[in-house]
Amino acid sequence: MENAVVTADAAHTQHANGRWLREQSAHYIAVVKGNHPGLLKQLRKLPWADIALDHKDRTRGRGRLEVRHLKTAAFGHLDYPGARQALRVMRWRKDLTSNKITIERLYFITSLPPGAASGARIAAWIRGHWKIENQLHHVRDTTFAEDASTIRAGHLPRVMASLRNLAISLCRQDGHTNIAAATRHHARRPDRPLATLGWT
Protein backbone atom coordinates (compact mmCIF):
# COMPACT_ATOMS: atom_id res chain seq x y z
CA MET A 1 0.00 0.00 0.00
CA GLU A 2 3.04 2.24 0.18
CA ASN A 3 2.63 5.41 -1.92
CA ALA A 4 -0.89 4.38 -3.02
CA VAL A 5 -3.32 7.30 -3.38
CA VAL A 6 -6.78 6.66 -1.93
CA THR A 7 -9.71 8.94 -2.75
CA ALA A 8 -12.47 9.32 -0.17
CA ASP A 9 -15.93 10.85 -0.08
CA ALA A 10 -17.09 13.02 2.83
CA ALA A 11 -18.46 10.08 4.82
CA HIS A 12 -14.98 8.51 4.86
CA THR A 13 -13.10 11.73 5.59
CA GLN A 14 -12.50 10.69 9.18
CA HIS A 15 -9.41 11.40 11.27
CA ALA A 16 -8.96 7.69 12.01
CA ASN A 17 -8.98 6.87 8.29
CA GLY A 18 -6.44 9.58 7.45
CA ARG A 19 -4.20 8.50 10.33
CA TRP A 20 -4.36 4.83 9.30
CA LEU A 21 -3.51 5.57 5.66
CA ARG A 22 -0.49 7.63 6.66
CA GLU A 23 0.66 4.84 9.01
CA GLN A 24 0.59 2.55 5.95
CA SER A 25 2.62 5.13 3.97
CA ALA A 26 -0.37 5.67 1.66
CA HIS A 27 -1.72 9.05 0.61
CA TYR A 28 -5.29 10.31 0.48
CA ILE A 29 -7.37 12.87 -1.39
CA ALA A 30 -10.48 13.41 0.70
CA VAL A 31 -13.49 15.62 0.01
CA VAL A 32 -14.62 17.94 2.81
CA LYS A 33 -18.30 18.82 3.12
CA GLY A 34 -20.76 20.05 5.74
CA ASN A 35 -20.29 17.05 8.03
CA HIS A 36 -16.86 18.57 8.87
CA PRO A 37 -17.92 22.19 9.48
CA GLY A 38 -14.72 23.41 11.16
CA LEU A 39 -12.44 21.98 8.49
CA LEU A 40 -14.74 23.18 5.69
CA LYS A 41 -14.75 26.69 7.13
CA GLN A 42 -10.95 26.63 7.33
CA LEU A 43 -10.70 25.61 3.65
CA ARG A 44 -13.23 28.18 2.45
CA LYS A 45 -11.31 30.98 4.18
CA LEU A 46 -8.11 30.36 2.24
CA PRO A 47 -7.28 33.19 -0.23
CA TRP A 48 -8.32 31.22 -3.32
CA ALA A 49 -8.60 34.35 -5.46
CA ASP A 50 -4.85 34.90 -5.02
CA ILE A 51 -3.87 31.28 -5.71
CA ALA A 52 -2.75 30.34 -9.22
CA LEU A 53 -4.69 27.84 -11.29
CA ASP A 54 -3.07 24.38 -11.34
CA HIS A 55 -5.24 22.68 -13.92
CA LYS A 56 -8.20 23.35 -16.19
CA ASP A 57 -10.20 20.94 -18.29
CA ARG A 58 -13.31 21.07 -20.39
CA THR A 59 -15.57 18.22 -21.44
CA ARG A 60 -18.73 17.95 -23.49
CA GLY A 61 -21.12 15.03 -23.36
CA ARG A 62 -24.50 13.79 -22.15
CA GLY A 63 -26.09 17.05 -23.21
CA ARG A 64 -23.89 19.31 -21.14
CA LEU A 65 -20.68 21.30 -21.22
CA GLU A 66 -18.50 21.15 -18.11
CA VAL A 67 -15.44 23.23 -17.19
CA ARG A 68 -13.36 22.39 -14.11
CA HIS A 69 -10.65 24.47 -12.43
CA LEU A 70 -8.30 23.00 -9.83
CA LYS A 71 -6.29 25.09 -7.38
CA THR A 72 -3.92 23.69 -4.75
CA ALA A 73 -2.50 25.41 -1.69
CA ALA A 74 0.24 24.11 0.59
CA PHE A 75 -1.01 24.53 4.13
CA GLY A 76 0.70 23.43 7.33
CA HIS A 77 -2.12 23.82 9.85
CA LEU A 78 -5.04 21.83 8.49
CA ASP A 79 -6.98 20.02 11.20
CA TYR A 80 -6.57 16.56 9.70
CA PRO A 81 -3.85 13.90 10.16
CA GLY A 82 -1.01 14.30 7.67
CA ALA A 83 -2.76 16.93 5.52
CA ARG A 84 -0.23 18.82 3.41
CA GLN A 85 -2.37 20.60 0.83
CA ALA A 86 -5.84 22.06 0.42
CA LEU A 87 -7.57 21.74 -2.95
CA ARG A 88 -10.48 23.56 -4.51
CA VAL A 89 -12.32 22.40 -7.60
CA MET A 90 -14.76 24.79 -9.29
CA ARG A 91 -17.15 23.20 -11.75
CA TRP A 92 -19.21 25.12 -14.27
CA ARG A 93 -21.92 23.04 -15.93
CA LYS A 94 -24.09 24.21 -18.79
CA ASP A 95 -27.11 22.19 -19.82
CA LEU A 96 -27.09 22.39 -23.61
CA THR A 97 -30.86 21.94 -23.82
CA SER A 98 -32.00 24.50 -21.25
CA ASN A 99 -28.82 26.65 -21.28
CA LYS A 100 -28.98 26.57 -17.46
CA ILE A 101 -25.57 27.11 -15.82
CA THR A 102 -24.66 25.75 -12.39
CA ILE A 103 -21.47 26.50 -10.45
CA GLU A 104 -20.16 24.24 -7.72
CA ARG A 105 -17.17 24.66 -5.40
CA LEU A 106 -15.72 21.51 -3.87
CA TYR A 107 -12.97 21.37 -1.27
CA PHE A 108 -10.47 18.59 -0.64
CA ILE A 109 -7.48 17.84 1.55
CA THR A 110 -4.56 15.65 0.61
CA SER A 111 -1.49 14.22 2.26
CA LEU A 112 0.44 14.56 -1.01
CA PRO A 113 3.20 17.12 -0.53
CA PRO A 114 3.52 20.01 -2.99
CA GLY A 115 5.09 18.85 -6.25
CA ALA A 116 4.43 15.13 -5.64
CA ALA A 117 1.79 15.05 -8.40
CA SER A 118 0.84 17.44 -11.17
CA GLY A 119 -2.45 19.33 -11.17
CA ALA A 120 -3.56 17.20 -14.13
CA ARG A 121 -2.85 13.99 -12.18
CA ILE A 122 -4.70 15.18 -9.08
CA ALA A 123 -7.65 16.27 -11.24
CA ALA A 124 -7.68 12.83 -12.89
CA TRP A 125 -7.78 11.08 -9.48
CA ILE A 126 -10.69 13.29 -8.37
CA ARG A 127 -12.61 12.72 -11.62
CA GLY A 128 -11.97 8.97 -11.38
CA HIS A 129 -13.44 8.97 -7.89
CA TRP A 130 -16.54 10.87 -9.08
CA LYS A 131 -17.02 8.39 -11.92
CA ILE A 132 -16.92 5.45 -9.52
CA GLU A 133 -19.17 7.23 -7.04
CA ASN A 134 -21.71 8.08 -9.75
CA GLN A 135 -21.76 4.48 -10.95
CA LEU A 136 -22.19 3.19 -7.40
CA HIS A 137 -24.92 5.66 -6.47
CA HIS A 138 -26.84 4.93 -9.67
CA VAL A 139 -26.75 1.17 -9.07
CA ARG A 140 -27.51 1.55 -5.36
CA ASP A 141 -30.58 3.61 -6.19
CA THR A 142 -31.92 1.69 -9.21
CA THR A 143 -31.13 -1.88 -8.09
CA PHE A 144 -31.27 -1.56 -4.30
CA ALA A 145 -33.80 1.35 -4.07
CA GLU A 146 -31.52 3.20 -1.68
CA ASP A 147 -33.36 6.52 -1.97
CA ALA A 148 -36.59 4.83 -0.87
CA SER A 149 -34.96 3.33 2.23
CA THR A 150 -36.50 4.33 5.56
CA ILE A 151 -33.21 3.70 7.38
CA ARG A 152 -32.07 7.23 8.20
CA ALA A 153 -30.92 7.32 11.84
CA GLY A 154 -27.41 7.23 13.32
CA HIS A 155 -24.74 5.15 11.60
CA LEU A 156 -27.19 2.76 9.91
CA PRO A 157 -27.39 4.60 6.54
CA ARG A 158 -23.59 4.46 6.21
CA VAL A 159 -23.53 0.79 7.22
CA MET A 160 -26.20 -0.08 4.66
CA ALA A 161 -24.42 1.93 1.94
CA SER A 162 -21.20 0.04 2.72
CA LEU A 163 -23.00 -3.31 2.49
CA ARG A 164 -24.54 -2.33 -0.86
CA ASN A 165 -21.11 -1.23 -2.11
CA LEU A 166 -19.68 -4.59 -1.00
CA ALA A 167 -22.42 -6.51 -2.84
CA ILE A 168 -21.89 -4.47 -6.02
CA SER A 169 -18.10 -4.86 -5.85
CA LEU A 170 -18.31 -8.62 -5.29
CA CYS A 171 -20.67 -9.03 -8.25
CA ARG A 172 -18.34 -7.04 -10.51
CA GLN A 173 -15.31 -8.95 -9.23
CA ASP A 174 -17.18 -12.15 -10.10
CA GLY A 175 -17.52 -10.94 -13.71
CA HIS A 176 -21.09 -9.60 -13.67
CA THR A 177 -21.74 -6.36 -15.55
CA ASN A 178 -25.49 -6.19 -14.89
CA ILE A 179 -25.88 -5.90 -11.11
CA ALA A 180 -29.67 -6.37 -11.17
CA ALA A 181 -29.25 -9.67 -13.05
CA ALA A 182 -26.41 -10.67 -10.71
CA THR A 183 -28.62 -9.99 -7.69
CA ARG A 184 -31.39 -12.21 -9.11
CA HIS A 185 -28.81 -14.89 -9.95
CA HIS A 186 -27.53 -14.95 -6.37
CA ALA A 187 -31.03 -14.84 -4.87
CA ARG A 188 -32.14 -18.03 -6.63
CA ARG A 189 -29.76 -20.34 -4.73
CA PRO A 190 -28.32 -19.73 -1.26
CA ASP A 191 -25.01 -21.40 -2.14
CA ARG A 192 -24.19 -18.84 -4.87
CA PRO A 193 -23.47 -15.85 -2.55
CA LEU A 194 -21.27 -18.14 -0.42
CA ALA A 195 -19.36 -19.28 -3.51
CA THR A 196 -18.87 -15.66 -4.62
CA LEU A 197 -17.46 -14.88 -1.19
CA GLY A 198 -15.17 -17.92 -1.43
CA TRP A 199 -16.77 -19.62 1.56
CA THR A 200 -17.47 -22.97 -0.11
Side-chain angles (χ1 to χ4, degrees):
M1 190 157 194
E2 188 173 350
N3 293 324
V5 177
V6 176
T7 57
D9 60 17
H12 294 98
T13 305
Q14 304 294 333
H15 281 66
N17 294 345
R19 194 174 301 112
W20 184 83
L21 286 168
R22 293 307 298 132
E23 286 168 359
Q24 312 308 310
S25 298
H27 290 286
Y28 58 78
I29 299 173
V31 69
V32 179
K33 291 188 176 177
N35 56 336
H36 301 283
L39 184 55
L40 181 59
K41 184 178 180 182
Q42 194 178 16
L43 295 176
R44 282 179 172 161
K45 282 188 169 182
L46 291 174
W48 293 108
D50 301 327
I51 295 170
L53 189 65
D54 268 329
H55 182 70
K56 176 181 178 179
D57 62 29
R58 177 186 178 111
T59 56
R60 185 180 180 130
R62 296 188 178 183
R64 70 185 183 198
L65 176 67
E66 187 169 322
V67 178
R68 291 170 294 275
H69 287 181
L70 169 71
K71 290 186 174 185
T72 63
F75 199 72
H77 305 291
L78 288 168
D79 182 24
Y80 197 81
R84 299 286 301 277
Q85 293 186 90
L87 315 172
R88 188 187 75 176
V89 174
M90 282 192 71
R91 294 195 295 194
W92 287 266
R93 286 181 178 160
K94 180 179 181 180
D95 186 296
L96 297 175
T97 303
S98 66
N99 285 326
K100 180 182 176 182
I101 296 174
T102 57
I103 300 173
E104 185 178 23
R105 290 174 183 83
L106 296 166
Y107 297 91
F108 300 80
I109 49 174
T110 181
S111 59
L112 289 164
S118 68
R121 189 72 186 116
I122 292 172
W125 280 322
I126 291 171
R127 286 195 67 203
H129 180 84
W130 283 334
K131 182 178 179 183
I132 293 166
E133 279 291 301
N134 289 340
Q135 288 174 340
L136 276 175
H137 285 298
H138 177 72
V139 173
R140 279 173 14 199
D141 188 36
T142 56
T143 303
F144 295 100
E146 183 173 67
D147 286 350
S149 174
T150 57
I151 298 171
R152 303 193 186 283
H155 297 293
L156 286 176
R158 188 183 308 166
V159 170
M160 292 305 297
S162 296
L163 290 172
R164 292 180 189 110
N165 288 348
L166 175 63
I168 292 164
S169 298
L170 287 170
C171 288
R172 287 195 172 135
Q173 185 178 320
D174 202 37
H176 297 278
T177 55
N178 184 318
I179 303 304
T183 303
R184 291 190 297 273
H185 169 80
H186 283 88
R188 289 189 186 111
R189 284 180 37 191
D191 60 314
R192 287 176 177 167
L194 297 174
T196 298
L197 289 165
W199 291 352
T200 58

